C-alpha cells in the first residue's frame, strides 16, 4: 500500500483552496463587522479581549493560567449553542483556515516526484491498541463530521479513467465486538436480527417501541453505546450530549439494566486485569496495565478505561489486519491488477480496474467478513461502495 | 554574592512531575515508573541553572500526625491515596537531592509549608531574598517584599512569581495577612477545610473589604442581611477553626543555617549511581558529562533447545506456522534469575566483532553462496533517507551469527546498484528463508523499488517487541540498550544531528558505514534471539 500510494487531484485542491480562502475571508469580515473593530482573529488573546471585555458575551468567562481568556473550541461551541452569530463565524473561520493549511494546501506538497502520487506511511508499532497509524499525510484524521471536511476526500481519485475507487468498511464493528465479547443477550440478538443497534438501544433505554424511537433518543443511545467503549461515565456523557448529569445518570442506569451483560463484561475485564496485570484481544494480543491495582483512583481509573477499551479496539485492529491478508492473498490468487491502497481504521480502499470491479467487490466483502469468527455467532458485516473519488466511494 | 535562597515544597513538585507525564510514562527496563524522579530532577536542575540561587533546601512532609489532624479529624481526609509510583519514587528523589548536595528538611508533626514558612522568615531576617517553590496557593499568607512564591511552569505555561501585589490581586484583598481570613471563610477543598458553608471566594472578599478580618466579620454577623447573615452566624465556630487550620506555623523547631544551605559541588558519583539505576541516559549525560554511562544488567546466557520463534507476513502480522514446519534449534535464552546489576556498558569500541566489507563480483558471489547455507538471515538496508519511496540504497548488511556481519556497499550509479542486487535475487526469492530485521517494512519497500520482492518468512524485532510490550518506545538503539546492554553507534555520529545540515549515508566513507550497518544487522539478530525466548516465557500469543 505504501508502494502504491494514491493519486490526488491537484486541480481540485487548488480550486478548493481558493474557495476556502474566500469563505474564510467572508467569515472573518463578518466577525469584524459584528465586533465593530478589526483585530487579529488568529490571536486567541485579542479574540478573548474582543468577546469578553468589549462585547461582554459571557460575564463568567474563564481565564487560563496565564491570564488570557479561554477561547478554545469547547468554550466557543458552548457559546455558539446560545445563539451568538459572531461565535458561529469565528468557528467557521477556524475550520476553514485549518482545513486549508493542514490538508488542502499540504497534500500537493506530499506528492512523490517519481510516482506523482501520495504515499502515506503506516506505523505498525505505535498505537498501543494495535491499530495502524498513518503519517504524511495522516489519513485517519481527515475530518468527516462537517461537509467542508468530507469534501477533502474528493481529492483522492483513481489512477486513470480505466479505474474507480472501491471503499469497503465494517459496519458497527466495535459494537459487534462488544456484544460478542460480553455475550450480552439483548445486544447479540439485535445484531443477529440485523436491526439498527442504536434504535434498539434507544427503545430499550427509553422503554418505547422501536417505531416510536425519535431521532433524539437514537442520538443519545448512540452516544451511550460509544461512551461505553471508551469507559465514559455520567459526567462525560452529560458533557457530550449537553444534558444534565441526572439525566445522563438515569440513561446509564437504564442501559446497564437492559444490557446487563455489558456491565458484567466491564466488571469481569477489570477483575481479570487486576489479577493478571493485562487484558487481551480475542486473538490473544496483550496489553499490560501496570496501574490497574493502584490505590489512587485517578491513576487506577485511567488503567480501568484502558482495560475495557483495549480488547474491543484491539480486536477490531486484529480483525482488519487479518482481513487485509486474506483479501490480498485472494486478489493475488486470481491475478487481479487492482490494488489495495489505503487502510483507515475499519475501512479499506482499492484502486480498482473497472473490468475487475464486479468480481472484486464480493471478494473483498467475503474475505473481510470471514477474517475472524466472533463468539455468540455475532455476524460481521462489511459493505462496499464505489465511485470516481474517495467521497463517492465511501 | 547575592543572597538568594530557594525553599522547595517537595511533594507538591513531585505530584506535578508525576501527573505531567502520566499519559506517556517513563518505565525502566525493570518496570519501574520514573515520572516523578525524572520530572523532579529536571525541575530542580532548571531552577538551579536559570535562577542561580546561592542557597537552597528541599522540605518534605512526614507521615506523622500534625496538630491540624488533632484539631479537626477530617483535615485532608478527602485526599486520595498517594499513587504507589510516587511513594516508591521518594527514596530515589531523596538520593538525587543528596547527590546535588542540597539539605533535606522535615520535622515530625509539621507539614512542609510550616517548615518552609519558618525557614523563610528566618532567612528574611538574615537578609536573604527568599523564594518558596510551590504551586500551593496557601503560601500567599507568607509573602512579603523579600519573600515570594515561585510557581513553576506547568503544561506549557510560564513560571509565575508572586509578591504581595500579585497575591493581593489574586484574592482581591488589601494585605497578604488576609489570605488566612479568606481561607477561613471560603474553606479549601484541597485540604478539606470547611470554612463557612455557603461562602465562596467573592463573598469572602466582600466581607473582608468591609470588615477587614475574619474575626471582625464574625463580630458584625448580625449586620449581614438575609440568608447569608444566618449562614455566617451558624458558621462562626467552623470559620475560626478553619482559619487556624489554614494558618502556616512559623515556630517550627528548625533553623536556617547559612553554611548548610549554601549550594556546593554535586556529588557526581552518587548522582551517577542513582541516574544509572533510573536509566536517565540523556539527562545523565547532560548533567554529568559524556562520560556518564548506564549500568546495565549482566545477563547470564545459557543455551537451550526451544522451538523456532514467531513468523510475520508481509504486513508484519504474526502468522502461525504449520506444526510440521516447526523445528528445534539452538537458542540463546536469557535467564532472569541470574540477572543482577553491574556497571558494564558494551559498545562497538569494547566489544569484539568482525564486520567485513564485500565488494566486487567474485566476493559478492561468495557471500551469496555462504548466505544460501543458512535458513535464517538478518539483514538491513542503508539508504539516503527515511522516506522509503524516495530513498536510494547505499548498502546492504547481513548477519547469520552474533558479532559477525557483512556489508555490501551500493554505488550512486543506480545501474551498478541493480547489477549488485541481481546477485541476491534468487536468495530473496527463496521461499524457505526467514529474513530477520528491525522494521522490515521499510527495507522491503526499498528493495521493491529495485524490483526485488522478498518471498520468504519474516521476523521483525520491532513488531516482536510491540507484541510483547505495546507501550513505550522500540527503536533498535533503545531495544539494544534495554535487552542487550549494548549501546549502538548513533546515526548522528555519521551524518550529523537532525535538521537541515544533516547529511546522508551516501556522504559517509564506506569503512564507517560498514561498521554501522554491520552492527545493525548483528544487533538485530541478537535481539531476535532474545525475543524468541521472551515469547516463550511470557506466552504472549494464544492464537495469532
Amino acid at each position: 500500500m505504501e508502494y502504491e500510494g494514491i493519486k490526488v487531484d491537484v486541480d481540485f485542491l487548488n480550486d478548493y483552496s481558493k474557495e476556502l480562502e474566500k469563505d474564510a475571508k467572508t467569515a472573518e469580515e463578518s466577525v469584524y463587522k459584528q465586533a465593530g473593530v478589526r483585530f487579529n482573529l488568529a490571536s486567541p488573546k485579542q479574540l478573548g479581549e474582543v468577546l469578553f471585555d468589549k462585547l461582554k458575551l459571557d460575564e463568567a468567562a474563564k481565564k487560563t493560567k496565564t491570564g488570557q481568556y479561554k477561547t478554545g473550541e469547547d468554550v466557543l461551541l458552548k457559546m455558539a449553542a446560545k445563539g451568538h452569530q459572531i461565535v458561529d463565524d469565528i468557528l467557521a473561520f477556524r475550520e476553514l483556515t485549518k482545513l486549508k493549511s493542514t490538508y488542502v494546501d499540504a497534500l500537493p506538497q506530499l506528492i512523490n516526484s517519481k510516482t506523482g502520487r501520495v504515499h502515506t506511511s503506516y506505523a505498525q508499532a505505535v498505537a498501543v491498541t494495535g491499530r495502524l497509524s498513518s503519517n504524511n499525510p495522516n489519513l485517519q484524521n481527515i475530518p468527516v463530521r462537517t461537509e467542508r471536511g468530507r469534501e477533502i476526500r474528493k481529492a483522492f481519485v483513481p489512477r486513470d479513467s480505466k479505474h474507480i475507487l472501491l471503499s469497503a468498511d465494517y459496519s458497527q464493528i466495535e459494537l459487534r465486538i462488544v456484544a460478542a465479547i460480553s455475550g450480552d443477550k439483548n445486544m447479540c440478538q439485535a445484531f443477529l436480527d440485523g436491526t439498527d443497534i442504536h434504535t434498539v438501544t434507544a427503545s430499550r433505554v427509553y422503554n418505547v417501541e422501536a417505531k416510536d424511537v425519535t431521532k433524539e433518543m437514537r442520538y443519545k443511545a448512540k452516544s451511550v453505546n460509544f461512551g461505553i467503549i471508551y469507559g465514559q461515565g455520567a459526567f462525560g456523557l452529560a458533557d457530550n450530549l449537553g444534558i444534565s448529569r441526572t439525566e445522563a445518570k438515569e440513561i446509564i442506569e437504564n442501559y446497564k439494566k437492559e444490557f446487563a451483560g455489558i456491565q458484567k463484561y466491564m466488571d469481569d475485564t477489570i477483575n481479570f486485569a487486576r489479577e493478571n496485570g493485562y487484558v487481551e484481544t480475542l486473538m490473544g494480543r496483550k496489553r499490560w496495565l501496570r496501574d490497574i491495582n493502584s490505590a489512587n483512583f485517578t491513576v487506577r481509573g485511567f488503567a480501568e478505561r484502558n482495560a475495557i477499551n483495549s480488547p474491543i479496539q484491539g480486536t477490531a485492529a486484529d480483525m482488519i489486519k487479518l482481513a487485509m491478508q486474506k483479501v490480498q492473498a485472494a486478489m493475488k490468487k486470481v491475478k487481479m491488477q487492482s490494488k489495495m491502497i489505503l487502510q483507515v481504521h475499519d475501512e479499506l480502499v482499492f484502486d480498482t480496474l473497472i473490468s475487475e470491479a464486479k468480481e472484486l467487490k464480493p471478494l473483498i466483502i467475503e474475505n473481510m467478513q470471514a477474517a475472524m469468527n466472533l463468539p455468540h455467532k455475532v455476524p460481521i458485516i462489511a459493505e462496499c461502495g464505489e465511485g470516481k473519488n474517495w467521497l463517492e466511494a465511501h | 554574592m547575592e543572597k538568594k535562597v530557594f525553599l522547595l515544597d517537595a511533594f507538591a513538585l513531585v505530584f506535578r512531575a508525576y501527573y505531567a507525564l502520566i499519559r506517556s510514562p517513563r518505565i525502566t527496563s525493570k518496570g519501574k515508573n520514573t515520572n516523578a524522579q525524572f520530572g523532579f530532577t529536571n525541575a530542580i536542575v532548571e531552577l538551579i541553572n536559570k535562577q542561580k540561587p546561592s542557597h537552597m533546601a528541599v522540605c518534605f512532609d512526614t507521615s506523622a500526625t500534625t496538630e491540624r489532624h488533632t484539631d479537626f479529624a477530617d483535615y485532608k481526609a478527602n485526599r486520595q491515596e498517594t499513587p504507589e509510583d510516587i511513594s516508591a519514587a521518594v527514596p530515589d528523589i531523596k538520593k538525587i537531592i543528596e547527590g546535588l548536595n542540597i539539605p533535606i528538611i522535615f520535622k515530625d508533626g509539621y507539614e512542609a509549608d510550616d517548615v518552609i514558612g519558618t525557614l523563610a522568615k528566618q532567612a528574611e531576617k538574615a537578609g536573604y531574598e527568599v523564594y518558596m517553590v510551590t504551586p500551593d496557593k496557601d503560601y500567599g499568607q507568607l509573602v512579603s517584599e523579600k519573600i515570594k512564591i515561585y510557581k513553576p511552569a506547568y503544561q506549557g505555561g510560564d513560571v509565575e512569581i508572586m509578591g504581595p501585589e500579585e497575591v493581593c490581586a489574586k484574592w482581591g484583598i488589601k494585605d497578604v495577612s488576609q489570605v488566612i481570613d479568606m481561607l477561613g471563610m471560603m474553606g479549601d477543598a484541597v485540604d478539606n477545610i470547611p470554612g463557612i458553608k455557603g461562602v465562596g471566594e467573592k463573598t469572602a472578599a466582600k466581607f473582608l473589604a468591609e470588615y477587614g478580618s475574619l474575626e471582625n466579620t464574625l463580630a458584625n454577623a448580625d449586620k449581614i442581611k438575609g440568608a447569608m447573615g444566618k449562614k455566617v452566624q451558624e458558621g462562626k465556630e467552623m470559620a475560626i477553626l478553619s482559619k487556624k487550620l489554614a494558618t502556616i506555623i512559623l515556630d517550627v523547631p528548625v533553623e536556617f543555617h547559612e553554611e548548610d544551605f549554601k549550594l556546593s559541588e554535586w556529588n557526581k558519583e552518587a548522582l551517577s549511581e542513582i541516574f544509572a539505576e533510573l536509566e536517565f541516559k540523556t539527562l545523565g549525560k547532560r548533567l554529568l558529562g559524556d562520560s556518564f554511562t548506564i549500568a546495565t544488567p549482566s545477563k547470564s546466557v545459557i543455551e537451550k533447545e526451544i522451538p523456532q520463534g514467531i513468523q510475520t507476513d508481509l504486513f508484519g502480522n504474526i502468522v502461525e506456522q504449520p506444526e510440521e514446519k516447526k523445528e528445534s534449534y539452538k537458542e540463546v535464552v536469557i535467564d532472569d534469575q541470574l540477572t543482577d546489576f553491574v556497571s558494564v556498558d558494551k559498545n562497538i569500541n569494547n566489544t569484539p566483532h568482525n564486520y567485513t566489507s564485500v565488494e566486487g563480483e567474485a566476493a559478492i558471489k561468495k557471500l551469496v553462496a555462504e548466505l544460501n547455507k543458512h535458513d535464517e538471515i538478518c539483514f538491513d538496508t542503508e539508504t539516503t533517507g527515511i522516506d522509503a519511496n524516495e530513498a536510494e540504497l547505499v548498502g546492504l548488511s547481513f548477519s547469520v551469527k552474533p558479532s559477525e556481519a557483512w556489508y555490501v556497499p551500493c554505488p550512486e550509479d543506480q545501474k551498478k546498484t541493480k547489477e549488485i542486487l541481481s546477485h541476491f535475487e534468487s536468495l530473496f526469492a527463496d521461499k524457505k528463508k526467514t529474513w530477520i530485521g528491525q522494521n522490515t517494512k521499510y527495507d522491503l519497500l526499498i528493495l521493491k523499488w529495485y524490483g526485488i520482492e522478498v518471498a520468504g518468512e519474516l521476523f521483525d524485532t520491532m513488531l516482536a517487541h510491540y507484541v510483547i510490550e505495546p507501550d513505550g518506545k522500540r527503536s533498535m538503539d533503545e531495544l539494544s540498550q534495554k535487552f542487550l546492554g549494548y549501546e549502538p553507534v548513533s546515526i548522528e555520529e555519521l551524518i550529523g544531528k537532525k535538521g537541515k545540515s544533516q547529511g546522508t549515508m551516501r556522504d559517509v566513507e564506506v569503512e564507517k558505514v560498514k561498521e554501522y550497518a554491520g552492527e545493525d544487522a548483528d544487533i538485530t539478530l541478537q535481539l531476535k534471539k532474545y525475543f524468541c525466548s521472551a515469547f516463550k516465557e511470557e506466552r504472549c500469543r494464544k492464537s495469532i
Side-chain angles (χ1 to χ4, degrees), chain A residues 224-291:
Chain A
V224 190
N225 274 334
F226 287 119
I228 294 289
I229 301 176
Y230 296 104
Q232 188 183 52
F235 190 81
L237 183 69
D239 219 39
N240 231 349
L241 289 173
I243 58 176
S244 75
R245 222 171 304 167
T246 330
E247 189 188 343
K249 221 176 145 187
E250 203 181 303
I251 296 178
I252 290 179
E253 285 308 313
N254 280 342
Y255 185 93
K256 285 180 178 172
K257 215 163 60 203
E258 291 297 325
F259 301 97
I262 295 195
Q263 181 63 36
K264 187 167 178 305
Y265 158 73
M266 296 201 273
D267 296 342
D268 289 351
T269 309
I270 290 170
N271 286 333
F272 178 88
R274 285 214 181 111
E275 249 168 62
N276 299 285
Y278 68 86
V279 289
E280 58 185 358
T281 65
L282 282 177
M283 299 291 291
R285 196 164 42 74
K286 289 178 185 178
R287 174 164 184 193
W288 302 89
L289 297 163
R290 49 192 307 288
D291 291 328

Side-chain angles (χ1 to χ4, degrees), chain B residues 458-471:
Chain B
L458 296 168
F459 184 102
D460 192 316
T461 47
M462 179 183 83
L463 296 178
H465 182 255
Y466 180 58
V467 179
I468 299 169
E469 173 51 276
D471 274 295

